[in-house]
Amino acid sequence: MTDLGQLLLAGLSVGGVYALVAMGFAAIYAVSGVLNLTQGEFAALAGLVAISASGNGFPLPLAALLGIVTVVVLALAIQRLIIAPVRRMTTLLSIILTLGVSTALKATMLLIWGPEGRGLDPLPGNDFTAAGVAVRSQYLWILGVSVVVAVAVSWFYERTLAGKALRACAEQPVAARLAGISVARASLVSFGIAGLLGGIAGVLASPVYFSAWDSGLALGLKGFVAATLGGLTSIRGAFMGGLVLGVVESLVAGYIDTGLRDAVAFVVLIVVLVARPDGVLRRQVAARV
Amino acid sequence: MAGIRALGAAAAVAALLVATAGCAEKDTGGGTDESGPIAVGAILDITGAGASLGVPERKTLELLTKKLNDAGGINGRKLELTVEDNQSTEDGAAKAMNQMVSKKVDLVIGASRTGTSLAMRAIAETNELPMLSMAANVKVVDGAKWVFKTAQNDSAVLANVVDYAKSKGWKTIGLARDSSAFGEGVAETLNSLGKADGISVVATEKFAPDATEFTAQMVNLRNAKADANLIWGIPPAAALAQKTYKQLGITAPVMQSHGIGNQVFLDTAGPAADGLIAPVGRLVVADQLPANDPQKSVLTTFVNNYKAAYNETPSTFAGHAWDAFQLAVDAFKAVGTDKQKVRDHLEQVKGFVGITGVFTMTPQDHSGLGKEALVLVTVSGSKWQLAPA
């Protein structure tokens, strides 16, 4: 039982990080149909900026904030300079564009921070043992913050007028524009939210899972799989997808073979795309025309 | 018609001649002649999982090349170092190795890890190009003609592990090992070395060289309830595994491999590293060695030079690079750049005092180090200490 608890906790913790990245994918895709492949790099960059800031004497919360703000600004810049100028954006085109940006970002991070991975200092809190399960305080931070952020973002998208306006852009861009909603602005806001989510994921994950110039690749892939589990347009689905993926990975590694951990995500991806392309966690909707 | 065809053929032949002339011209620019600069290629794991190995190796090679050329080079010839990053991947290593072959370098140093070195080995053998690997697994040089290596064999390290287990009366060992080529064969070697003393591996867990999450492996080790556990990997993975080990409250003593001899390990593992035992090269405890240690002066000179250049202490991996470079330079000094002669010279190295140990190569042993090339160290207060005997 303690083993199961330990594996579940580890899975939920890493799943929390996947969930944050996955929500970033969904936040943008739900608004403009853009698939932003720099989502993983957002997390890596936020972690690295925070590590440098804290190394230069900034207190930890300020360093973390600086990392997140840098990424939000970068996300807005990507939307303005690379996504917005394209007249007829398609999902495929957005994949190609953001893949290029992601490669450039990786190279830049490699030049600035070098090839070695590093970890940010953990957030305050004591590690303890409950019912035989060793609990790292950073696990609780990751879980707690990702739940709060998930609730906040899904509330924004589903309950506020501004959020509903964002989703309207995805469903009926022309009608949305007729109703006075600026599609360009909606896309910009969604990038800002995705940057925020990626940044938070980066600074939360860094103490346990490390930040390096190339850590965004794996994180981005897992986040994408998690978002696909949730159907790619649902914030809640992406969040649940992240947690499920983290837990399944951890259980497979613990009970079957540790070597299979990284295979889990891709097996899941193939199964989902073949069997339920609209997402496992989503009610089947009538065929879209 | 016939005239035009003949003209075309003549033109084609002429073009071919020009092309081959171009190639021939390039050839003389290579390192094969006996007067121009000596070309040495280095293929290192600079980015990716092996970054904490490849970076200090590159720094060492660049430092030594500069010092050598400033002092006049080798018999009046400069040494030209070309460094390639294999991104810690086998295909990257093979590609870089083929590039080195077409550049006609005189010798190749690399790679940093076993898998990447194995990918280069076959190319070195078929092209008869001397190669000095800095990887651990004996498979890199086993039965090779043109490949040598400077890191201690895993069997030498495991012999130390077995000796220590024997002295402590441990019979069962739990193993968590790197899933790449570096970790392959560890359980088998440990079992065969420990057989005489009844020491055996009771559980084997694997982790990817770039893994960051170790809960599953450590939970399984905890359940194996071995007398002691051995973590076999390189930083940062080995350090993160060590952290999880302590965090899960496993009380059995923990040993690590010689893969951890750098600052990255200490920084990453932090207080969790305290009390571990690892067979490591003498470099990390150079200041604590007795004055009569044969390597003492070589080690201190290297540490001081490296510190002066980079303002940090060198890792054992930097030491592997030092050994490879000096072995190559000694060979060039003695026999020039003829590849066959360089190879033959490397095979006859005897009593070469390096950073990793005192090397004596033979046709059967292209590693040249025994179990005495390692000392048992422990960590206390994030500093390396010679382990109490």
Side-chain angles (χ1 to χ4, degrees):
Chain A
M1 264 323 275
T2 47
D3 289 357
L4 182 64
Q6 194 74 58
L7 292 172
L8 280 177
L9 179 68
L12 283 174
S13 161
V14 73
V17 179
Y18 296 162
L20 285 168
V21 177
M23 287 190 287
F25 276 108
I28 292 179
Y29 189 81
V31 172
S32 49
V34 166
L35 210 48
N36 172 34
L37 295 189
T38 60
Q39 205 60 41
E41 274 64 48
F42 285 175
L45 180 66
L48 288 170
V49 169
I51 290 166
S52 287
S54 118
N56 283 318
F58 282 83
L60 192 57
L62 202 60
L65 191 66
L66 197 65
I68 296 170
V69 169
T70 309
V71 169
V72 171
V73 171
L74 174 76
L76 296 176
I78 290 176
Q79 200 280 337
R80 268 286 102 119
L81 301 175
I82 290 150
I83 302 298
V86 180
R87 282 201 162 193
R88 288 186 164 273
M89 182 59 82
T90 60
T91 301
L92 180 63
L93 189 55
S94 75
I95 290 175
I96 296 166
L97 281 172
T98 55
L99 186 65
V101 178
S102 139
T103 310
L105 278 177
K106 268 191 281 202
T108 314
M109 287 192 276
L110 179 60
L111 281 177
I112 299 177
W113 283 281
E116 288 168 30
R118 275 162 292 182
L120 188 65
D121 291 334
L123 292 163
N126 291 322
D127 300 347
F128 59 92
T129 307
V133 176
V135 182
R136 279 166 88 166
S137 64
Q138 189 70 25
Y139 284 171
L140 299 183
W141 277 106
I142 294 175
L143 270 178
V145 172
S146 57
V147 168
V148 170
V149 169
V151 169
V153 174
S154 57
W155 175 79
F156 173 78
Y157 268 71
E158 286 163 23
R159 295 271 177 272
T160 66
L161 192 61
K164 283 179 183 163
L166 289 188
R167 288 198 305 150
C169 296
E171 284 172 23
Q172 288 289 339
V174 177
R177 206 173 298 154
L178 288 175
I181 302 166
S182 159
V183 177
R185 224 185 109 238
S187 171
L188 188 65
V189 171
S190 74
F191 263 82
I193 293 171
L196 183 70
L197 288 165
I200 293 173
V203 294
L204 278 179
S206 183
V208 197
Y209 307 112
F210 276 49
S211 305
W213 68 281
D214 59 350
S215 58
L217 177 67
L219 212 49
L221 284 171
K222 305 276 178 78
F224 175 71
V225 173
T228 314
L229 267 175
L232 258 183
T233 52
S234 152
I235 297 287
R236 288 186 214 195
F239 177 74
M240 292 308 294
L243 292 188
V244 167
L245 183 62
V247 168
V248 173
E249 268 191 11
S250 184
L251 294 181
V252 166
Y255 290 119
I256 302 176
D257 190 306
T258 42
L260 292 175
R261 173 192 296 279
D262 288 327
V264 169
F266 305 107
V267 172
V268 167
L269 180 65
I270 293 167
V271 171
V272 170
L273 287 183
V274 171
R276 299 281 298 259
D278 271 343
V280 181
L281 304 163
R282 227 167 145 232
R283 266 164 276 128
Q284 292 282 336
V285 287
R288 288 213 297 243
V289 184
Chain B
M1 267 316 274
I4 291 174
R5 199 176 289 165
L7 197 68
V13 171
L16 266 175
L17 280 176
V18 171
T20 41
C23 288
E25 208 167 55
K26 246 186 227 159
D27 272 357
T28 55
T32 39
D33 66 320
E34 288 285 326
S35 55
I38 299 174
V40 170
I43 300 171
L44 308 172
D45 299 28
I46 294 170
T47 57
S52 79
L53 283 59
V55 172
E57 286 166 356
R58 180 184 60 189
K59 285 180 173 171
T60 305
L61 294 177
E62 284 171 349
L63 175 68
L64 291 175
T65 305
K66 189 172 176 297
K67 278 205 186 300
L68 180 76
N69 287 337
D70 286 352
I74 301 167
N75 301 334
R77 298 170 69 183
K78 295 272 180 214
L79 191 144
E80 264 180 22
L81 178 74
T82 316
V83 180
E84 286 288 340
D85 175 21
N86 62 32
Q87 300 171 335
S88 303
T89 61
E90 277 75 9
D91 54 330
K95 206 171 97 193
M97 189 66 179
N98 281 322
Q99 277 170 14
M100 292 296 176
V101 169
S102 56
K103 274 186 192 159
K104 297 196 188 300
V105 296
D106 294 303
L107 180 139
V108 167
I109 295 176
S112 318
R113 289 156 66 241
T114 301
T116 41
S117 298
L118 284 172
M120 291 159 56
R121 170 182 160 155
I123 303 169
E125 292 285 315
T126 44
N127 292 285
E128 310 200 326
L129 175 61
M131 163 177 154
L132 282 157
S133 164
M134 294 167 288
N137 201 308
V138 71
K139 276 189 290 186
V140 173
V141 293
D142 221 8
K145 186 163 177 240
W146 293 87
V147 184
F148 299 82
K149 73 185 195 69
T150 59
Q152 302 95 335
N153 280 345
D154 38 7
S155 58
V157 180
L158 290 167
N160 277 282
V161 171
V162 168
D163 286 352
Y164 190 76
K166 199 163 98 182
S167 75
K168 291 283 171 188
W170 301 332
K171 294 292 178 199
T172 53
I173 308 276
L175 173 69
R177 71 163 177 87
D178 188 301
S179 62
S180 77
F182 172 50
E184 253 160 47
V186 170
E188 293 81 350
T189 313
L190 195 53
N191 276 332
S192 73
L193 287 173
K195 208 170 183 180
D197 303 300
I199 296 166
S200 64
V201 177
V202 290
T204 304
E205 287 294 316
K206 296 173 204 165
F207 54 83
D210 55 356
T212 51
E213 170 57 55
F214 292 86
T215 307
Q217 290 90 335
M218 294 305 143
V219 161
N220 291 344
L221 272 197
R222 185 168 69 181
N223 291 341
K225 293 195 173 57
D227 294 338
N229 294 304
L230 171 65
I231 298 173
W232 188 275
I234 56 167
L240 294 169
Q242 175 79 22
K243 255 178 129 166
T244 310
Y245 187 92
K246 290 285 161 166
Q247 182 225 336
L248 290 187
I250 309 176
T251 48
V254 57
M255 295 188 76
Q256 288 258 5
S257 75
H258 59 327
I260 62 166
N262 63 13
Q263 193 61 34
V264 175
F265 179 82
L266 294 180
D267 291 347
T268 309
D274 281 9
L276 68 82
I277 295 282
V280 176
R282 286 178 170 73
L283 180 65
V284 294
V285 288
D287 51 334
Q288 299 163 37
L289 292 173
N292 63 358
D293 191 291
Q295 288 176 260
K296 177 97 177 177
S297 77
V298 175
L299 289 171
T300 11
T301 315
F302 176 50
V303 171
N304 292 338
N305 286 343
Y306 195 94
K307 265 189 185 161
Y310 299 115
N311 199 24
E312 61 185 28
T313 46
S315 64
T316 52
F317 309 109
H320 301 332
W322 190 97
D323 294 335
F325 188 87
Q326 294 297 346
L327 282 169
V329 167
D330 281 6
F332 292 141
K333 269 187 185 150
V335 299
T337 46
D338 184 90
K339 292 191 177 68
Q340 184 68 43
K341 286 184 189 158
V342 167
R343 186 211 88 88
D344 293 346
H345 185 270
L346 285 172
E347 199 163 69
Q348 283 149 21
V349 163
K350 197 161 187 273
F352 167 84
V353 181
I355 301 293
T356 315
V358 180
F359 289 82
T360 298
M361 305 274 187
T362 65
Q364 289 77 38
D365 178 15
H366 279 200
S367 154
L369 295 173
K371 69 175 180 182
E372 63 291 335
L374 299 133
V375 284
L376 286 178
V377 302
T378 182
V379 177
S380 102
S382 285
K383 292 245 180 317
W384 301 108
Q385 302 283 342
L386 274 170

